[in-house]
Amino acid sequence: MPTFIIERNVPGADKLSQDDLCALSAKSNAVVADLGVPYTWITSYVAGDKIYCVHEAPSADVIREHAERAGFPANKITEVATVIGPATAFGGASK
């Protein structure tokens, strides 16, 4: 299944409380459960005024549907072409 990076513009994201982040996570999980298609939220990173999410979904359209239902912005959605890391130096790239 394709993997996507989602950039969400959320002013003050880095100042959200733990309770706020728990509520956002619960809302996302509830929407994922009701989408009716394979969908996996892998992780998210909160940095400044943005939240960067890594999700697996059948398409960018499904990512947009998740964002719309959850009430989150999805300002930029980019499909991951490949994954690299330290092991890539030894021939370990993957998709």
Side-chain angles (χ1 to χ4, degrees):
M1 182 164 6
T3 301
F4 296 89
I5 304 292
I6 305 137
E7 181 178 308
R8 304 181 192 279
N9 295 331
V10 181
D14 61 344
K15 307 223 180 345
L16 292 170
S17 70
Q18 190 65 35
D19 287 343
D20 293 333
L21 295 172
C22 285
L24 290 171
S25 298
K27 179 65 175 176
S28 181
N29 288 338
V31 172
V32 166
D34 288 339
L35 280 174
V37 296
Y39 194 109
T40 303
W41 171 23
I42 297 171
T43 195
S44 294
Y45 302 92
V46 179
D49 289 333
K50 297 190 185 281
I51 300 176
Y52 299 93
C53 303
V54 181
H55 292 202
E56 291 179 340
S59 68
D61 287 338
V62 174
I63 299 283
R64 284 185 200 88
E65 181 178 351
H66 170 269
E68 184 177 313
R69 287 191 193 185
F72 306 146
N75 303 95
K76 185 174 182 182
I77 302 169
T78 306
E79 187 172 348
V80 173
T82 193
V83 177
I84 64 168
T88 306
F90 307 103
S94 67
K95 166 75 172 134

